[in-house]
Amino acid sequence: MFDFNLQTAVFFGTVALGALLFGLGVLAFLGTTLMVGAFKGIHQTAEAAQERLRRERSPIPG
């Protein structure tokens, strides 16, 4: 096959480290996306609840 020496070990180690860092970056991006989506959902729900309370407390004109 090929001669496994220090240069090939460094190469494969670098490739493995790069793949690990790339995977961690993808996981961090997905986690951030999920957290931002959850925050937007919570914010939207809170705004809807505040609007509902505002409508319930306001006197009905008549």
Side-chain angles (χ1 to χ4, degrees):
M1 275 200 323
F2 59 88
D3 187 22
F4 192 79
N5 55 18
L6 181 63
Q7 185 177 2
T8 55
V10 169
F11 172 74
F12 285 122
T14 305
V15 170
L17 183 62
L20 179 68
L21 289 176
F22 179 76
L24 286 175
V26 169
L27 285 176
F29 178 75
L30 290 177
T32 303
T33 304
L34 287 174
M35 290 298 290
V36 167
F39 178 76
K40 285 182 178 179
I42 291 169
H43 186 69
Q44 184 178 5
T45 304
E47 279 185 352
Q50 285 177 352
E51 182 62 32
R52 188 172 60 238
L53 283 174
R54 200 174 300 122
R55 276 186 275 132
E56 289 175 358
R57 290 183 181 171
S58 65
I60 299 173

